[in-house]
Amino acid sequence: MPEAADIDRLRAEFEAALAGAATEPTLREVRDRYLARKGGVIAALMKAVSGAAPADRPVLGKLANQFKHDVEEAIEARRASLESGRPAADSVDVTLPGRQAPLGHLHPLTLVRQQIESIFSRMGYEILEGPEVEDDYHNFEALNMPPEHPARDMQDTFFLANPVPQTGLGTPGTRTSTRPAPPDRPATLLRTHTSAMQIRYMEAHEPPVRIVAIGKVFRRDNPDLTHTPMFHQFEGLLVDDGVTFADLKGTLTAFVREIFAPDTKVMFRPSFFPYTEPSAEMFIGCVFCAGAGCPVCKRTGWLEILGSGMVHPSVLEAVGYDAERYSGFAFGTGIERVAMLKYGVDDIRLFYENDLRFLEQFSF
Amino acid sequence: MKLLVSWLRDFVDLRQPVAEVASTLSMCGFEVAGIEADEVIDFEITANRPDCLSVAGLAREAATAFDVPLRLPWADPAGHSVTSGARAVPTPSRIDGERISVSIEAPDLCPRYAAALAEVTIGPSPDWLAARLTAAGVRPINNVVDVTNYVLLEIGHPLHAFDLERLDGRRLCARRARPGERIRTLDGEARALDPEMLVIADGSSAQAVAGVMGGAASEVWSGTRVIALESAYFKPASVRRTSKRLGLKSEASTRFERGTDINVPVVALERACSLLERIGAGRPVGAPIDVYPAPRGPVDLTLRRERIDWLLGVGVDDGEVARILTGLGFAVTGVPGGWRVSVPTRRVDVLREADLIEEVARHFGYDKVPSHFPPLRAVAPRPDPRMARKALVRHVLAAAGFSEAVSWTFIDAADAAPFAGPGEAPVPLAYPLSEKFAVLRPSLLPGLVDGVAHNRRHQIRDVRLFEVGASFSAAEGERHRVAFALTGAGVMEHWGGGMRPADFFDAVGVVERLGEALALPLRFADSTASCLVPGRAAAVSVGETTVGAVGLLVPAESERRGLPGGDEIFVAELDLDAIDRLAPIADTEVRALPRFPSIVRDISVVIDERLRSQQVRETIQRVAPATLVGMREFDRYKGQGIPEGRYSLSLRLTFRASDRTLTDADVQEAMERIMAALATEHGAIQR
Ligand SMILES: [Zn+2]
C-alpha cells in the first residue's frame, strides 16, 4: 500500500527526470512515462491510492492529486519554455566571444630560428649572434678568400661608405685562448654570411668548438620570389680531434630529420665553398611531392637544403689552430629557405612586408 | 657551361644515355641546370673549376666517373711545355714574308704570351662546326672567329684573332694602359683605361683589353688576309679587376679570372691552326712564337693514406685512390705511407693535401661515406644571456598583443633622418641597390612605421607591431634595440562595450611591462625627441642612463609615410645594449613574506599642473619612513572645484613594518610629515 513517503520519492524522481529533459523529444518521454493513461506513473499511483485503507484514502488522495497537478504544470511550463526558446532570466549566451586582451604572433623566421637553436643546443652547440657590420678580414680573408678571389663574386657585397666602429654583439663571452687577440678593425661592409662569426669565435677559443652562429646577412640581390638583399642564415661549426666527413653526414642528417620529418631522405653531393674542403651540398627528398617530382624541386624529387664541408685547413691555420691535429666541419643555410619549405611560403618577400594577415597565421 | 654530349663522345667512349651522363657528373660536383633536346647538358661549373669550362675538362671527369679511357687529339700539355716553351727573350720573327714581333712589358700581369700567324680566307664555317657552336650557345660569326670559339669551348683556353695588317708596326706588346688611354672594344663601346689594366697594344695604341675583349680597330673582317692569333696567360686577379672596373664580362674574362692553364697556350694555337686547315679557312704561317720568361711546372704534393680515413671517416682502397687521381690527370707515384702526386697546372684549385682528398672523395662517392654522430665530450656552454633577454622581450611583447616584424636594415635616407640621434647622420652604403636602400637604419622605428602603413592600406585598423634588431650610427656602430608601434584600439571592440582608442598610456604601459619583465626600475621624463609630439613624449631611463623613448609619432612623419592623417601612431624604442650593461641578469633573491598587517592611507593634493607625478612620488619617498612599502596614483582630476592651473592628484599609500604591527599613530605621523613636505616643496594643498 502506498504511503506519503512513496509520493515524496516519486516527486524527487520526477524532478530529476525533468531536469534532464532539455529537448522536446526527451520531454515527451517524461510526459508519457508519468501522465500516460495506461501504465503511466501517475495512473498507477491513483490506482494504488484507490486501493488504500479507507482511513488513509482522503490524505493520500489529496497528496496524489497535488502531485499530479504539479507534474502537469511543470511539464507544461517546460514545454512552453522549450517552444519559445527563451532562456532563464539569469542565463547568458555562452557562445558569445569573451573579452580579449590581444595576442601577438612571433615572426615565422623567429619560430624556425627557435627550432634550429633548440635542435643544436641539444646537440651541445653554443648559439651565437655576431655583428652585422664586419671587416673584410673576418668576412673574406680569414675564410680563404683573399682580395680578388673569384669566389667573392658568389657573395656580392654591400660596402659602407665610411667605416664604423665595431661594437656589435660580436665578441663572444669569455676568451679561452692564450693566442694574441687579433687587432681591432673597423667595420667596412655588411656581412655576406655568418661564417665571419666562426672566425671571431675561433680567434678567442681553443678546440673543441661547437657553435651555431645565426642572424641577418646581406648580398646584392634585387628582390624577387626567392631573393632579397637581406636574409637570415645559420651556420654551424664543429672543430675537435678526429672530426670526419662521416660526422658531418650524421649531424646534418639528424638535423633535417628533426626540423622536417623523421623519415626525410637525404643526399650529399660535391660542391665548392672556399672555406671548406671537401665541400658538400645537402639535399632532402622534396617535402612537397615526396620525391615524385614537382615544379618546386624542378622534377628532380630533391631540394637543396644546406651547404657544408670539412673546414679548410687554411681557415684553421688563419685562426692559429694546428690543422695537422684538428679537423672540423661547417654547414649553413638560409632560415628563410627552411621556413619556406616548412610553411609552404612561395614568395620570400612576404617575410619582410610585416602584413598582419601573414604574421597572424603563425603561432604565438 | 653547355656541353654537347656528342662532342664529349669524341674524347670518351661513353654508351650511356645523356640523362645518365648528367646524373653521374652531377654526383661528382657538376650541378645540372637543365638538359636540352636530349643532347646538351647545361652545367653550373663552380668557381674553383675553370678547367671544366671546356669539353676536355668534363671529358676527363666523365672518363674517371665511368672508368673508361680518355682520348684527346692533342698532347697533354702538363708534361711537355715546361721545356718546349722556354724561350725567354722577346723574339721578332719573320716568316714567309709575314712577320710579327711579340713582347711582354708587364710580366707580372702577363707571364706568358704566344702568337701564331695564319693566312686566311674569311667565310662562313662548315655546318658541323656552326652546329656545335650553336648547340653550346655560341653564335657563329665567321670561320676564323668560330675556330677561336671552338677551341675556347673544347680546351677551355681563350684565343683572340687580330687582323695582322691593321696592327701598327705589326707588333703586339702586353703592357699596362697609358694614363688617359682609350679603346673602342668589339661591342662598339669606347672605354677609358687606367694604368692598372693590362692591354695588348700595337706600335701606337691599345688593340685589346687583355683577357677581357678585343678592340674594334684590329677586328677580323671580311677582307682580312692574315691573322695574328693570340694565346696567352693573364694573371687572374688582374683580369678580374679590369673586368669589374670596366663592367665588362666575356667568355674569355670568365676563364682568365678564375685561372687558365699556363702551359696550354701553344697547344691551343696548334689546335686552332689545325682546325683552320681542316675546314679550309686558312693555313698557318711558320711556327708559333712563345714568350714565356719563367716557365712553371706541375706542383708536387704528398697524399698520406691515413689522412684520407682521418678526414673522411672511411678508408679508400689504394688502387681506387690511384685510379681516380690518374684518371683526373694527376701523375701518381707510390711512396711509403701514401703517394706523391704531381698536379697539372690546369688544376688551379688543387694546392694541398685536403684538395687531393676531395678529388678522391668526389669520385669515390659521398654516398659511400658512412653517417656517424660525433661524440659530445663536454657540456655545452651556458647560453648567452643577451640572447635569452631578447627571447624574453619577444615573448612579453607577443603576449601584450604585438606581432613580430622584420624590416629592412637599409632604408631611404629621408625615412631615416628624423630618427637619427641629435646631430647625427645615418650611415650610408657605398653603392646601394637603390634610393630605397641607401642608409643603415638609425632606429627600428622607420621600418615599423612602414609596417603600420602597409597594414592600414589593407584595411587593418588595429595594428600592434614590434621588432628586435640592430640599428647603426657612425659614432657607436651597431646597437641592438627593441621597438614597437601601436595604433587603433587601446581596448579591443567587444559586444559588451568598453572599446576605446589607444593613447599614450597604453604605450607607456607596454614599456612598463617590459621593464617589469626585465627587472628594470624605469623612470619617465618629458622628452624632446624630434620624431615625437612634445607633451606626449617621454624619455625612459634607468638611474641616470637614458635607455629609450616612448610617445606619439609626429603626424608629419606618419602622413609622409602614407598613413591617414587622423591616425595616432604610438611608438617606443629601447636600447637593449644599454640595458645589458645596466642590468646583468642575476638570480632572484627572495624576500621573506610579510608577517604583519599593512595599513592603507589615501592622500589627495591639489598641485601645480606643471608638476610631474614623478616629483610628487620622489618627495614622498624621501620623507616617508621605511614602512612605506607601496604607492600608486589612483586618480587625477582637473576641473570644477580645482583652481585654474592646478590639478588634484590622489595616491594610495601602503605602510607595513617587518617586525611589528603598525599603529594608527605611526602612520598618522608619517602622513603628516609627507603632507608637510608636499606643502613646502610643491605648494600642495590637501583636498
Ligand atoms: Zn617536388
Side-chain angles (χ1 to χ4, degrees), chain B residues 78 263 297-302 329-332 340-352 355-356:
Chain B
N263 284 320
V299 173
D300 280 353
L301 298 176
T302 302
F330 298 89
V332 179
R340 195 167 62 245
V341 181
S342 174
V343 181
T345 41
R346 67 173 165 269
R347 288 305 302 270
V348 293
D349 60 316
V350 178
L351 302 170
R352 53 194 299 175
D355 301 324
L356 291 173

Side-chain angles (χ1 to χ4, degrees), chain B residues 286-314:
Chain B
I289 304 164
D290 184 15
V291 185
Y292 189 12
R296 259 182 23 215
V299 173
D300 280 353
L301 298 176
T302 302
L303 173 58
R304 291 165 291 173
R305 180 181 295 107
E306 48 99 7
R307 292 298 268 195
I308 298 177
D309 198 343
W310 180 81
L311 194 63
L312 298 182
V314 64

Side-chain angles (χ1 to χ4, degrees), chain A residues 286-303:
Chain A
C286 179
V287 297
F288 298 106
C289 64
C294 71
V296 180
C297 60
K298 294 185 198 135
R299 317 237 160 254
T300 61
W302 294 100
L303 294 169

